Amino acid sequence: MDERIRPHLSDCGGDAYHQRGVLGRAEYGSQRGTNSKRLKMSRIFIVWVAIEMATLPAFSQKHDYIWPFGTNGGAFDTLWGGGYLDFNASPIQTVRVDTQSIRLFEETTAAISSGDGQLLLTSNGCSIVNHDQKIIDGGQSFSMDDDPVIKKYCNTLSEGTVRISTFCFLPPFKVDSSYLFVYFSEAYTPSQYPLISWCRSVDLAYIDTKSDPGKIVKRQKLYLDTLSCGILSCVRHSNNVDWWIITQKQNSNIYVKTLIKADGSFVSFQQHIGDTLSRNNDYGSRFSMDGRYFAVANKKSGVFLYNFDRSTGELSNFKNIQIQTPDTTDAGWPVSVAFSPNSKFLYTCSFEYLYQFETESQNIDSSKILIAIYDGFKTGTFQWHSFYTMQNGPDCRIYMTAPQTGRYYHVIHKPDLKGKDCDFRQHDLLLPVHRSSNIPYFPSYRLGTGEPLCDSSITVSVHQIPVNAHTHVLLNVFPNPANETAHIELGNYLAFSNYQIRILNLQGQQLYSNALHNGQSDVDVSSFPPGIVFVQLWLNGRMLEVRKLVVLH
């Protein structure tokens, strides 16, 4: 069912809004709910940024051409600090920024560039800075006035005190108009595991950037509720002017859609559809670049795929895609989704697996292709470069981060192609400094503007690392190929306890699982189907290494 809800707009065009009333039947579909109530939402900040736009190209939409990254993991030296990807150049440039303020992107990164691709604003959820990395007036504590947990995190950047999730900037509706900033925050109790987080209030702020360094001139709290942290996606309305914001009420099948209109008014409504999305802190959501599809990934519930109507905001044609592997660990559960630029393929990744599905398939489960298994690469004792959040680039590639800090992005170079032809490469793009586990979220800015959704002529210089180029080689498998028996052994510097060997085929099906005694084992592979299998080394629920083994009979 739908429930149209009138927001409180006393300070932003409310009188005009009440004269117009809620969204009409003819324009936005039938009114199926009759009881109106104020919609409570989580802490979303919608920041209107007043900025001079007269000098920008009339139709330029390069708002996603600068991607900031960085982390607060150590001294500001050659490995720790901040930087950004610059897609204005070809090949794209990875740039280090010698300033402390850009680097503190521990959990969240948001940014927006001008229409011609020049960085304007960035935020890590604790502060908002301008293009010179100066904190704008009022931007130091805009998210923590009444939240002691967030205040502690932002003041100390301490581990385990807060997790801030997806938020994004939206471009101006027209020349000399305003930017919008949509923001979630959430807090959790450090002693809880798994980390269950919750989201709180919605604020509306106005930012004037004409002065230096800029300032927040007005803030307004709108409404409260508990939403699923991490589910926040934006897409243009079919009129190619207004914007839809979609979130979801926590532990439910209720989606909350908010339409932000160019005249400053907005309206929200709920829709009950699909299965309940289990409460969990590891999930993400994305629209396809053409706005036809919406997907949510959750490691407890699987992947939910919907069709989306950009005119009415309605979700339809619910599909639940289960990608769980035989593993009982987190390795088999989805945590991120992304669509190919042509919207024909949906990619979903867990910590160790990347899959591709055909969005138009009548039986979408049967279209599943295992694209890759994490190859075990790591750059430090606990810096596993496995699979985490994905984001479409303006160069028609898909970039993927890892759940731990590190200096690499994984890259899907040709996501419009089926199967292995998509050219996925692990730890492919080398960064000048460590990045955190997040990656900036950018909606499809060029949808409906007359510009291509992305520019495939932009190139990227990559830095591929062989699978075996680790500081320590832990796992050895021989002979390779093997036809009857494969011998497995570990390096002798390890204390051999609680290790487990798992062997999977290309489809991710487990063929073998057993403890590894005294650091070595002989595995009978005579019953395995001929072909390539992956030998994984596990310790205490965490995969440490993987080796490719060819079985011949």
Side-chain angles (χ1 to χ4, degrees):
M1 64 176 291
D2 268 0
E3 186 174 351
R4 308 281 170 169
I5 301 164
R6 176 179 299 174
H8 180 65
L9 293 176
S10 59
D11 294 326
C12 52
D15 292 339
Y17 173 83
H18 290 302
Q19 292 174 7
R20 288 189 296 273
V22 295
L23 298 181
R25 183 187 302 265
E27 183 179 3
Y28 297 108
S30 62
Q31 171 87 31
R32 287 181 285 174
T34 57
N35 296 324
S36 294
K37 61 183 179 181
R38 179 178 296 182
L39 175 65
K40 294 180 178 180
M41 299 182 70
S42 74
R43 182 181 292 266
I44 305 176
F45 284 82
I46 306 173
V47 179
W48 299 70
V49 184
I51 186 168
E52 182 63 45
M53 297 291 294
T55 61
L56 299 184
F59 300 102
S60 186
Q61 298 287 333
K62 296 183 178 181
H63 302 292
D64 56 346
Y65 268 52
I66 303 293
W67 292 22
F69 57 83
T71 188
N72 190 36
F76 190 73
D77 55 21
T78 57
L79 294 180
W80 302 96
Y84 56 84
L85 298 183
D86 185 352
F87 289 88
N88 291 288
S90 184
I92 67 172
Q93 300 295 307
T94 57
V95 181
R96 181 168 185 247
V97 179
D98 290 320
T99 178
Q100 299 270 345
S101 57
I102 195 175
R103 69 187 178 96
L104 306 179
F105 299 117
E106 294 304 296
E107 294 290 350
T108 301
T109 309
I112 194 162
S113 298
S114 60
D116 60 353
Q118 304 305 306
L119 184 64
L120 290 178
L121 295 167
T122 61
S123 177
N124 61 358
C126 295
S127 61
I128 301 174
V129 300
N130 66 11
H131 63 284
D132 289 327
Q133 302 307 309
K134 298 177 181 177
I135 298 176
I136 65 173
D137 294 342
Q140 177 63 52
S141 59
F142 74 97
S143 66
M144 59 176 106
D145 283 356
D146 54 359
D147 193 327
V149 177
I150 295 178
K151 182 178 292 186
K152 178 181 178 182
Y153 170 80
C154 291
N155 288 338
T156 65
L157 292 176
S158 55
E159 290 289 336
T161 55
V162 70
R163 167 174 273 178
I164 304 171
S165 192
T166 305
F167 57 105
C168 70
F169 289 95
L170 297 179
F173 289 111
K174 58 185 178 180
V175 174
D176 293 324
S177 184
S178 305
Y179 280 86
L180 293 81
F181 181 47
V182 184
Y183 172 81
F184 261 160
S185 78
E186 67 230 48
Y188 59 73
T189 302
S191 61
Q192 287 180 308
Y193 189 85
L195 301 175
I196 301 300
S197 50
W198 58 91
C199 301
R200 288 195 282 267
S201 71
V202 179
D203 285 21
L204 176 65
Y206 296 83
I207 299 181
D208 179 6
T209 62
K210 295 178 182 179
S211 60
D212 185 21
K215 60 181 179 179
I216 295 179
V217 296
K218 183 178 180 180
R219 292 175 52 184
Q220 181 185 20
K221 191 173 293 294
L222 300 179
Y223 32 70
L224 302 167
D225 203 351
T226 301
L227 300 188
S228 296
C229 304
I231 298 180
L232 187 155
S233 292
C234 311
V235 70
R236 289 187 190 271
H237 187 274
S238 61
N239 62 19
N240 299 322
V241 177
D242 305 332
W243 282 87
W244 289 106
I245 313 298
I246 188 168
T247 59
Q248 200 231 20
K249 298 192 73 171
Q250 193 173 58
N251 202 33
S252 76
N253 69 339
I254 303 173
Y255 293 87
V256 181
K257 279 77 68 71
T258 299
L259 182 65
I260 301 177
K261 304 184 73 174
D263 62 6
S265 66
F266 62 91
V267 67
S268 297
F269 65 94
Q270 299 177 359
Q271 181 181 1
H272 299 247
I273 186 172
D275 294 339
T276 295
L277 189 68
S278 299
R279 180 178 179 179
N280 187 271
N281 65 299
D282 283 314
Y283 40 63
S285 64
R286 289 290 189 269
F287 280 104
S288 61
M289 294 188 75
D290 63 5
R292 289 189 298 143
Y293 299 104
F294 175 72
V296 178
N298 176 283
K299 76 176 187 178
K300 295 297 184 185
S301 303
V303 178
F304 293 176
L305 177 64
Y306 300 92
N307 290 84
F308 184 74
D309 188 324
R310 291 198 296 129
S311 295
T312 65
E314 296 293 318
L315 297 168
S316 62
N317 195 24
F318 165 69
K319 297 177 182 177
N320 187 353
I321 306 169
Q322 292 294 332
I323 67 167
Q324 182 186 4
T325 69
D327 298 329
T328 58
T329 68
D330 289 344
W333 295 105
V335 295
S336 180
V337 288
F339 290 90
S340 60
N342 62 11
S343 299
K344 290 184 178 180
F345 300 108
L346 170 67
Y347 292 88
T348 180
C349 72
S350 63
F351 295 109
E352 273 85 33
Y353 304 93
L354 173 65
Y355 293 95
Q356 182 194 75
F357 296 87
E358 295 183 40
T359 56
E360 298 178 359
S361 174
Q362 295 299 314
N363 185 352
I364 194 167
D365 287 308
S366 66
S367 71
K368 179 176 71 174
I369 298 175
L370 177 63
I371 299 299
I373 298 177
Y374 167 50
D375 61 15
F377 173 76
K378 59 189 178 74
T379 55
T381 305
F382 300 107
Q383 290 180 329
W384 289 276
H385 284 62
S386 53
F387 306 155
Y388 203 49
T389 307
M390 296 182 284
Q391 173 61 40
N392 289 88
D395 59 349
C396 299
R397 294 175 179 85
I398 295 176
Y399 294 83
M400 181 196 298
T401 187
Q404 288 83 26
T405 59
R407 294 181 60 200
Y408 301 93
Y409 283 138
H410 311 297
V411 184
I412 306 176
H413 285 266
K414 301 176 182 178
D416 281 343
L417 299 184
K418 184 176 180 179
K420 300 297 178 111
D421 290 339
C422 72
D423 192 15
F424 174 65
R425 306 178 194 176
Q426 302 188 43
H427 38 81
D428 192 42
L429 179 61
L430 176 65
L431 305 177
V433 295
H434 287 277
R435 46 124 191 94
S436 61
S437 61
N438 70 77
I439 196 168
Y441 165 59
F442 298 103
S444 185
Y445 288 128
R446 288 165 288 280
L447 175 60
T449 66
E451 294 186 26
L453 296 177
C454 55
D455 182 1
S456 60
S457 68
I458 301 174
T459 61
V460 58
S461 297
V462 298
H463 183 84
Q464 273 194 293
I465 298 176
V467 172
N468 62 354
H470 303 279
T471 304
H472 302 290
V473 177
L474 305 180
L475 180 64
N476 296 299
V477 182
F478 58 90
N480 194 357
N483 56 13
E484 293 184 357
T485 302
H487 183 72
I488 300 173
E489 67 178 25
L490 303 185
N492 58 14
Y493 64 92
L494 293 173
F496 302 119
S497 60
N498 299 321
Y499 287 99
Q500 185 181 46
I501 291 294
R502 301 177 189 176
I503 301 179
L504 285 71
N505 61 17
L506 286 173
Q507 288 71 45
Q509 298 170 327
Q510 186 168 285
L511 305 177
Y512 175 88
S513 178
N514 206 350
L516 191 66
H517 299 291
N518 298 320
Q520 59 183 339
S521 178
D522 288 320
V523 178
D524 182 3
V525 299
S526 60
S527 62
F528 291 3
I532 296 174
V533 298
F534 296 93
V535 181
Q536 299 176 342
L537 173 66
W538 289 77
L539 175 63
N540 298 328
R542 169 64 63 179
M543 191 177 73
L544 301 180
E545 294 279 338
V546 64
R547 292 290 179 265
K548 184 187 298 184
L549 172 66
V550 178
V551 177
L552 298 178
H553 296 313

